[in-house]
Amino acid sequence: LNIENPSVILRFKILFVVLSLSFMSSSMLVWRHNNALIRTFYRFTMGWMGFFFYFFMASFFSWVAFDLTSDLNAKIVMIVLFAVAALVAILGIKNANKIRVTPLTVALPNLPAAWKKKTAVFLSDTHLGQIRGEQFAKRVVEKIQSLKPDIVFMSGDAYDGVEVDIARVTEPFSRLVPPLGVWFVTGNHDEFRNTEQHLAALKSAGFNILMNAAAEIEGVQIVGVDYATTELKKEYREILQKIKIDPEKPSILLRHVPNFLKVAEEAGISLELSGHTHYGQVFPLTILTSWIFGGYGYGFKKKGNMGVYTSSGVGTWGPPLRVGTKSEIVEIKFE
């Protein structure tokens, strides 16, 4: 293949234009339609965008190589870079489809003795839609059931926000029947469209939805705030004040986005469980995510007296790839 041939260059230009247009058109189609043809088209274009992300980086470093070395050596470097980019994308798709369990042990102040024998499962960002559908939901549920949790927490983005058979993709979660229930708060994607239908489907599947409210379970306060009404710090602080959290009792806050952490700490929260970030989903966006969220983009950290766990999520958004991150559910043991 002579990459300097004008006709070859033209073909590549046409190919990239067509693929770019296909991405935009599929994104618009899934907003209104849900059928096998459109799902296939959408999955192809999302996958293509994942490959494009790494091909773009390969192109940049190829340009550097052509600037620093001979044409022959640069062409060899270019071939290697594009081969590596393709391999990374393929492995990224495979990695994203593997659900992993992350163990976490957390010490909560004044924790009742009964809770020290309990197991909680925490998950976020399933993004159920036209890429992660009913079969994916079944796999998530099976993984959770294998851990035999006493309680399940989910911090938003159950849905991707596209047109989908909501009841069908949600139904597998009705098989989750932990003794202390399944607790949920909304994320931004849950509020893109059909918010009431989304919440109704979750309620039908047995979810307890906390909308700026708290429930006390055997001496532990389970607090939940929705996404839309807590985007601004002032309103968020007022909502937590109205909930009237007892700082003498342990509390677990479910919140989609791990920001305004000082507000939660000042309200007396013991542990915040968040998602949203996907930990960037693909390297090197992991670096950007850590910077945006001030070091709280992934994993367990402390904010003063409050513990914070930010999950990388179990589903994916956009390109169905994970590079340098994992699709996780978190198994929490309390002490």
Side-chain angles (χ1 to χ4, degrees):
L1 180 64
N2 184 0
I3 60 171
E4 296 178 354
N5 187 312
S7 64
V8 172
I9 294 173
L10 177 61
R11 289 171 196 165
F12 271 104
K13 286 182 178 179
I14 293 172
L15 176 64
F16 276 96
V17 169
V18 170
L19 289 171
S20 297
L21 291 174
S22 70
F23 167 74
M24 291 185 288
S25 60
S26 71
S27 297
M28 290 186 288
L29 285 169
V30 295
W31 191 253
R32 293 183 175 274
H33 304 284
N34 177 30
N35 58 57
L37 179 61
I38 289 175
R39 279 196 302 276
T40 301
F41 181 41
Y42 183 60
R43 290 171 181 176
F44 167 76
T45 59
M46 287 297 108
W48 143 248
M49 284 302 297
F51 277 83
F52 175 79
F53 179 77
Y54 286 103
F55 285 160
F56 178 81
M57 287 194 288
S59 297
F60 172 78
F61 288 111
S62 295
W63 172 75
V64 172
F66 273 100
D67 194 51
L68 296 179
T69 187
S70 67
D71 285 355
L72 178 59
N73 289 336
K75 287 179 181 178
I76 295 171
V77 170
M78 182 189 69
I79 292 169
V80 171
L81 285 171
F82 273 85
V84 170
L87 180 61
V88 167
I90 291 169
L91 293 177
I93 292 173
K94 183 178 180 180
N95 181 46
N97 288 327
K98 185 175 182 180
I99 301 171
R100 295 175 172 85
V101 176
T102 301
L104 176 68
T105 301
V106 178
L108 297 182
N110 305 319
L111 186 71
W115 271 82
K116 295 182 181 181
K117 301 177 182 178
K118 298 187 188 305
T119 298
V121 162
F122 167 53
L123 71 155
S124 70
D125 302 279
T126 47
H127 284 274
L128 299 175
Q130 296 198 30
I131 291 180
R132 307 293 177 192
E134 180 185 12
Q135 293 306 312
F136 175 73
K138 287 179 180 178
R139 290 174 52 221
V140 171
V141 168
E142 289 169 0
K143 182 68 74 172
I144 294 172
Q145 288 174 322
S146 71
L147 300 174
K148 298 180 173 59
D150 297 287
I151 192 167
V152 174
F153 302 122
M154 186 171 180
S155 65
D157 279 3
Y159 304 100
D160 204 33
V162 298
E163 182 65 27
V164 69
D165 187 335
I166 298 171
R168 183 172 181 177
V169 298
T170 309
E171 188 278 331
F173 284 93
S174 64
R175 300 166 206 172
L176 286 179
V177 287
L180 302 182
V182 181
W183 299 85
F184 177 83
V185 295
T186 58
N188 54 312
H189 282 254
D190 300 312
E191 298 173 354
F192 277 179
R193 57 184 291 162
N194 297 330
T195 303
E196 294 305 317
Q197 292 181 34
H198 286 162
L199 296 181
L202 291 169
K203 288 177 182 177
S204 295
F207 283 66
N208 299 288
I209 299 170
L210 290 170
M211 301 285 285
N212 303 331
E216 186 168 324
I217 301 177
E218 298 183 8
V220 174
Q221 302 165 98
I222 310 301
V223 183
V225 295
D226 67 77
Y227 175 81
T229 60
T230 60
E231 286 189 88
L232 301 177
K233 183 185 288 188
K234 181 176 180 291
E235 284 77 2
Y236 178 38
R237 179 179 283 110
E238 291 173 351
I239 285 169
L240 288 184
Q241 289 172 348
K242 289 178 182 177
I243 294 174
K244 296 182 179 179
I245 299 156
D246 185 347
E248 299 302 315
K249 294 181 180 179
S251 54
I252 300 171
L253 171 66
L254 305 182
R255 185 163 190 261
H256 184 57
V257 184
N259 62 356
F260 306 144
L261 298 176
K262 188 67 175 176
V263 173
E265 185 206 358
E266 290 173 347
I269 294 296
S270 308
L271 173 67
E272 177 173 331
L273 301 175
S274 296
H276 182 66
T277 71
H278 293 229
Y279 191 24
Q281 198 165 302
V282 294
F283 180 83
L285 297 185
T286 50
I287 300 170
L288 180 63
T289 300
S290 294
W291 176 73
I292 290 172
F293 291 95
Y296 293 90
Y298 175 69
F300 183 79
K301 304 285 193 309
K302 294 287 286 187
K303 179 66 175 179
N305 295 319
M306 180 179 72
V308 181
Y309 190 90
T310 304
S311 173
S312 58
V314 69
T316 55
W317 176 74
L321 281 74
R322 281 191 176 274
V323 178
T325 68
K326 60 184 177 181
S327 298
E328 70 170 6
I329 62 173
V330 185
E331 181 186 29
I332 305 175
K333 302 286 187 179
F334 296 98
E335 63 179 22

Coordinates of all heavy atoms in Angstrom, one line a residue, residues 249-305:
K249 N -24.5 8.8 64.4 CA -24.8 7.5 63.8 C -24.0 7.3 62.5 O -23.9 8.3 61.8 CB -26.3 7.3 63.6 CG -27.1 7.2 64.9 CD -28.6 7.0 64.5 CE -29.4 7.0 65.8 NZ -30.9 6.8 65.4
P250 N -23.6 6.1 62.1 CA -22.9 6.0 60.8 C -23.9 6.2 59.7 O -25.1 5.9 59.8 CB -22.4 4.5 60.9 CG -23.3 3.8 61.9 CD -23.7 4.9 62.9
S251 N -23.3 6.7 58.6 CA -24.2 7.1 57.5 C -23.5 6.7 56.2 O -22.2 6.9 56.1 CB -24.6 8.5 57.5 OG -23.4 9.4 57.6
I252 N -24.2 6.3 55.2 CA -23.7 6.0 53.9 C -24.5 6.8 52.8 O -25.7 6.7 52.8 CB -23.9 4.5 53.5 CG1 -23.1 3.6 54.5 CG2 -23.4 4.2 52.1 CD1 -23.4 2.1 54.4
L253 N -23.8 7.6 52.1 CA -24.4 8.5 51.1 C -24.2 8.0 49.7 O -23.1 7.7 49.3 CB -23.7 9.9 51.2 CG -24.1 10.9 50.1 CD1 -25.6 11.3 50.2 CD2 -23.2 12.1 50.1
L254 N -25.3 7.8 49.0 CA -25.3 7.5 47.6 C -25.4 8.8 46.8 O -26.5 9.5 46.9 CB -26.4 6.5 47.3 CG -26.5 5.2 48.1 CD1 -27.6 4.4 47.6 CD2 -25.2 4.5 48.1
R255 N -24.4 9.1 46.0 CA -24.5 10.3 45.2 C -23.7 10.0 43.9 O -22.6 9.4 43.9 CB -23.8 11.5 45.9 CG -23.9 12.8 45.1 CD -23.7 14.0 45.9 NE -24.0 15.2 45.2 CZ -23.1 16.0 44.5 NH1 -21.8 15.7 44.6 NH2 -23.5 17.0 43.8
H256 N -24.3 10.4 42.8 CA -23.7 10.0 41.5 C -22.3 10.5 41.2 O -21.4 9.8 40.8 CB -24.7 10.4 40.4 CG -24.2 9.9 39.0 ND1 -24.0 8.6 38.7 CD2 -23.9 10.6 37.9 CE1 -23.6 8.4 37.5 NE2 -23.6 9.6 36.9
V257 N -22.1 11.8 41.5 CA -20.9 12.5 41.1 C -20.1 12.7 42.4 O -20.6 13.3 43.4 CB -21.2 13.8 40.4 CG1 -19.8 14.5 40.0 CG2 -22.1 13.6 39.2
P258 N -18.8 12.4 42.4 CA -17.9 12.6 43.6 C -17.4 14.0 43.6 O -16.1 14.2 43.6 CB -16.8 11.6 43.4 CG -16.6 11.5 41.9 CD -18.0 11.7 41.3
N259 N -18.2 15.0 43.7 CA -17.8 16.4 43.9 C -18.5 17.0 45.1 O -19.3 16.4 45.7 CB -18.0 17.2 42.6 CG -19.5 17.4 42.3 OD1 -20.3 16.8 42.9 ND2 -19.8 18.1 41.2
F260 N -18.1 18.2 45.4 CA -18.5 18.9 46.6 C -18.4 18.0 47.9 O -19.3 17.9 48.7 CB -20.0 19.3 46.5 CG -20.3 20.2 45.3 CD1 -21.5 20.0 44.6 CD2 -19.4 21.1 44.8 CE1 -21.8 20.8 43.4 CE2 -19.6 21.9 43.7 CZ -20.8 21.7 43.0
L261 N -17.3 17.3 48.0 CA -17.1 16.3 49.0 C -17.1 17.0 50.4 O -17.5 16.4 51.4 CB -15.8 15.6 48.8 CG -15.8 14.7 47.5 CD1 -14.4 14.1 47.3 CD2 -16.9 13.7 47.5
K262 N -16.6 18.2 50.5 CA -16.5 18.9 51.7 C -17.9 19.1 52.3 O -18.1 19.1 53.5 CB -15.8 20.3 51.5 CG -15.5 21.0 52.8 CD -14.5 20.3 53.7 CE -14.2 21.1 54.9 NZ -13.2 20.4 55.8
V263 N -18.9 19.3 51.4 CA -20.3 19.6 51.9 C -20.8 18.3 52.6 O -21.4 18.4 53.6 CB -21.2 19.9 50.7 CG1 -22.6 19.9 51.1 CG2 -20.8 21.2 50.1
A264 N -20.5 17.1 52.0 CA -21.0 15.9 52.6 C -20.3 15.6 53.9 O -20.9 15.2 54.9 CB -20.7 14.7 51.6
E265 N -19.0 15.9 53.9 CA -18.2 15.7 55.2 C -18.8 16.6 56.3 O -18.9 16.1 57.4 CB -16.7 16.0 54.9 CG -15.9 15.7 56.1 CD -14.6 16.5 56.2 OE1 -14.4 17.3 55.3 OE2 -13.9 16.4 57.2
E266 N -19.0 17.8 56.0 CA -19.5 18.8 57.0 C -20.9 18.4 57.5 O -21.3 18.7 58.6 CB -19.6 20.2 56.4 CG -18.2 20.8 56.2 CD -18.3 22.1 55.5 OE1 -19.3 22.4 54.9 OE2 -17.2 22.8 55.5
A267 N -21.7 17.6 56.6 CA -23.0 17.2 57.0 C -23.0 15.9 57.9 O -24.0 15.5 58.4 CB -23.9 16.9 55.8
G268 N -21.8 15.4 58.1 CA -21.6 14.3 59.0 C -21.7 12.9 58.3 O -21.8 11.9 59.0
I269 N -21.5 12.9 57.0 CA -21.5 11.6 56.3 C -20.3 10.8 56.7 O -19.2 11.3 56.7 CB -21.6 11.8 54.8 CG1 -22.9 12.5 54.4 CG2 -21.4 10.5 54.0 CD1 -24.1 11.6 54.7
S270 N -20.5 9.5 56.8 CA -19.3 8.6 57.2 C -18.7 8.0 55.9 O -17.4 7.9 55.8 CB -19.8 7.4 58.0 OG -20.5 7.9 59.2
L271 N -19.5 7.7 54.9 CA -19.0 7.1 53.7 C -19.8 7.5 52.5 O -21.1 7.4 52.5 CB -19.0 5.5 53.8 CG -18.7 4.7 52.5 CD1 -17.2 4.9 52.2 CD2 -19.0 3.2 52.7
E272 N -19.2 8.0 51.5 CA -19.9 8.4 50.2 C -19.5 7.3 49.1 O -18.4 7.0 48.9 CB -19.5 9.8 49.7 CG -20.1 10.1 48.4 CD -19.9 11.6 48.0 OE1 -19.8 12.4 48.9 OE2 -19.9 11.8 46.8
L273 N -20.6 6.9 48.4 CA -20.4 5.9 47.3 C -20.8 6.6 46.0 O -22.0 7.0 45.9 CB -21.2 4.7 47.6 CG -20.8 3.9 48.8 CD1 -21.8 2.7 49.0 CD2 -19.4 3.4 48.8
S274 N -19.9 6.8 45.1 CA -20.2 7.5 43.9 C -19.7 6.8 42.6 O -19.0 5.8 42.8 CB -19.6 8.9 43.9 OG -20.1 9.7 44.9
G275 N -20.1 7.3 41.5 CA -19.7 6.7 40.2 C -19.4 7.8 39.2 O -18.6 8.7 39.5
H276 N -20.0 7.7 38.1 CA -20.0 8.8 37.1 C -18.7 8.9 36.2 O -18.7 9.1 35.0 CB -20.3 10.2 37.7 CG -20.4 11.3 36.8 ND1 -21.4 11.4 35.8 CD2 -19.6 12.4 36.6 CE1 -21.2 12.5 35.1 NE2 -20.1 13.1 35.6
T277 N -17.6 8.8 36.9 CA -16.3 9.1 36.2 C -15.9 8.0 35.2 O -15.1 8.3 34.3 CB -15.2 9.3 37.3 OG1 -14.8 8.0 37.8 CG2 -15.6 10.3 38.4
H278 N -16.3 6.8 35.5 CA -15.8 5.6 34.7 C -14.3 5.5 34.8 O -13.7 4.7 34.0 CB -16.2 5.7 33.2 CG -17.6 5.6 33.0 ND1 -18.2 4.7 32.0 CD2 -18.7 6.2 33.5 CE1 -19.5 4.8 32.0 NE2 -19.8 5.7 32.9
Y279 N -13.7 6.3 35.7 CA -12.2 6.4 35.8 C -11.6 6.7 34.4 O -10.5 6.3 34.0 CB -11.6 5.1 36.3 CG -10.1 5.2 36.7 CD1 -9.5 6.5 37.0 CD2 -9.3 4.1 36.8 CE1 -8.2 6.6 37.4 CE2 -8.0 4.2 37.1 CZ -7.4 5.4 37.4 OH -6.1 5.5 37.8
G280 N -12.3 7.5 33.6 CA -11.9 7.9 32.3 C -12.2 6.8 31.2 O -12.1 7.1 30.0
Q281 N -12.4 5.6 31.6 CA -12.8 4.4 30.8 C -11.6 4.0 30.0 O -11.4 2.8 29.9 CB -14.0 4.7 29.9 CG -14.6 3.5 29.4 CD -16.0 3.7 28.8 OE1 -16.9 4.2 29.4 NE2 -16.2 3.4 27.5
V282 N -10.9 4.9 29.3 CA -9.7 4.5 28.5 C -8.5 5.3 28.8 O -8.7 6.6 29.0 CB -10.0 4.5 27.0 CG1 -11.1 3.5 26.6 CG2 -10.5 5.9 26.6
F283 N -7.4 4.7 28.9 CA -6.1 5.5 29.0 C -5.8 6.2 27.7 O -6.1 5.7 26.7 CB -5.0 4.5 29.3 CG -3.6 5.2 29.5 CD1 -3.3 5.7 30.7 CD2 -2.8 5.3 28.4 CE1 -2.1 6.4 30.9 CE2 -1.6 5.9 28.6 CZ -1.2 6.5 29.8
P284 N -5.4 7.5 27.8 CA -4.9 8.2 28.9 C -5.9 9.1 29.6 O -5.6 10.0 30.3 CB -3.8 9.1 28.3 CG -4.3 9.4 26.9 CD -5.0 8.1 26.5
L285 N -7.3 8.9 29.3 CA -8.3 9.8 29.9 C -8.3 9.5 31.4 O -8.9 10.3 32.1 CB -9.6 9.5 29.3 CG -9.8 9.9 27.8 CD1 -11.2 9.7 27.3 CD2 -9.3 11.3 27.5
T286 N -7.8 8.4 31.9 CA -7.7 8.2 33.3 C -7.0 9.3 34.0 O -7.3 9.7 35.1 CB -7.0 6.9 33.6 OG1 -5.7 6.9 32.8 CG2 -7.8 5.7 33.1
I287 N -5.9 9.9 33.4 CA -5.2 11.0 34.0 C -6.0 12.2 34.1 O -6.0 12.9 35.1 CB -3.9 11.2 33.1 CG1 -3.0 10.0 33.1 CG2 -3.1 12.4 33.7 CD1 -1.9 10.1 32.1
L288 N -6.8 12.5 33.0 CA -7.6 13.7 33.0 C -8.7 13.6 34.1 O -9.0 14.5 34.8 CB -8.3 13.8 31.6 CG -9.2 15.0 31.4 CD1 -8.4 16.3 31.5 CD2 -9.9 14.9 30.0
T289 N -9.3 12.4 34.2 CA -10.4 12.2 35.2 C -9.9 12.4 36.6 O -10.5 13.1 37.4 CB -10.9 10.8 35.1 OG1 -11.5 10.6 33.7 CG2 -12.0 10.5 36.1
S290 N -8.7 11.9 36.9 CA -8.1 12.1 38.2 C -7.9 13.6 38.5 O -8.1 14.0 39.6 CB -6.8 11.3 38.3 OG -7.0 10.0 38.3
W291 N -7.5 14.3 37.5 CA -7.2 15.7 37.7 C -8.6 16.5 37.8 O -8.7 17.3 38.7 CB -6.5 16.3 36.4 CG -6.3 17.8 36.5 CD1 -5.5 18.5 37.2 CD2 -7.0 18.7 35.7 NE1 -5.6 19.8 37.0 CE2 -6.5 20.0 36.0 CE3 -8.0 18.6 34.7 CZ2 -7.0 21.2 35.5 CZ3 -8.5 19.8 34.1 CH2 -8.0 21.1 34.5
I292 N -9.6 16.2 37.0 CA -10.9 16.9 37.1 C -11.5 16.7 38.5 O -12.0 17.7 39.1 CB -11.8 16.4 36.0 CG1 -11.3 16.8 34.6 CG2 -13.2 16.9 36.3 CD1 -12.1 16.2 33.5
F293 N -11.4 15.5 39.1 CA -12.0 15.2 40.3 C -11.1 15.3 41.5 O -11.4 14.7 42.6 CB -12.8 13.9 40.3 CG -14.0 13.9 39.3 CD1 -13.9 13.5 38.0 CD2 -15.2 14.4 39.8 CE1 -14.9 13.5 37.2 CE2 -16.3 14.4 38.9 CZ -16.2 14.0 37.6
G294 N -10.0 16.0 41.3 CA -9.1 16.3 42.4 C -8.5 15.0 43.1 O -8.4 15.1 44.4
G295 N -8.3 14.0 42.4 CA -7.7 12.8 43.0 C -8.8 11.8 43.4 O -8.5 10.7 43.9
Y296 N -10.1 12.1 43.3 CA -11.2 11.3 43.7 C -11.9 10.6 42.5 O -13.0 10.2 42.6 CB -12.2 12.0 44.6 CG -11.6 12.5 45.9 CD1 -11.0 13.7 46.0 CD2 -11.7 11.7 47.0 CE1 -10.5 14.1 47.2 CE2 -11.2 12.1 48.3 CZ -10.6 13.3 48.4 OH -10.1 13.7 49.6
G297 N -11.2 10.5 41.4 CA -11.8 9.9 40.2 C -12.0 8.5 40.2 O -12.8 7.9 39.5
Y298 N -11.3 7.8 41.1 CA -11.4 6.3 41.3 C -10.9 5.8 42.6 O -9.8 6.3 43.1 CB -10.7 5.6 40.1 CG -10.8 4.1 40.3 CD1 -12.0 3.4 40.2 CD2 -9.7 3.3 40.7 CE1 -12.1 2.0 40.4 CE2 -9.8 2.0 40.9 CZ -11.0 1.3 40.7 OH -11.1 0.0 41.0
G299 N -11.5 4.8 43.1 CA -11.0 4.1 44.3 C -11.4 4.7 45.6 O -12.2 5.7 45.7
F300 N -10.8 4.2 46.7 CA -11.1 4.6 48.0 C -10.2 5.7 48.5 O -8.9 5.5 48.4 CB -11.1 3.4 49.0 CG -11.5 3.8 50.4 CD1 -12.9 4.0 50.8 CD2 -10.6 4.0 51.4 CE1 -13.2 4.4 52.0 CE2 -10.9 4.4 52.7 CZ -12.3 4.6 53.0
K301 N -10.7 6.8 49.0 CA -9.9 7.9 49.5 C -10.6 8.4 50.8 O -11.7 8.1 51.0 CB -9.7 9.0 48.5 CG -9.2 8.6 47.1 CD -7.7 8.4 47.2 CE -7.1 8.3 45.8 NZ -7.7 7.4 44.9
K302 N -9.9 9.2 51.5 CA -10.4 9.9 52.7 C -10.6 11.4 52.4 O -9.7 12.0 51.8 CB -9.5 9.7 53.9 CG -9.5 8.3 54.4 CD -10.7 7.8 55.1 CE -10.9 8.4 56.5 NZ -12.0 7.8 57.2
K303 N -11.7 12.0 52.8 CA -11.9 13.4 52.8 C -12.2 13.8 54.2 O -13.3 13.7 54.7 CB -13.1 13.8 51.9 CG -13.4 15.2 51.8 CD -12.2 16.0 51.2 CE -12.6 17.5 51.0 NZ -11.5 18.3 50.4
G304 N -11.1 14.2 54.9 CA -11.3 14.5 56.4 C -11.7 13.2 57.1 O -11.0 12.2 57.0
N305 N -12.8 13.3 57.8 CA -13.3 12.1 58.5 C -14.2 11.2 57.7 O -14.6 10.1 58.2 CB -14.1 12.5 59.8 CG -13.2 13.3 60.7 OD1 -12.0 12.9 61.0 ND2 -13.7 14.4 61.3

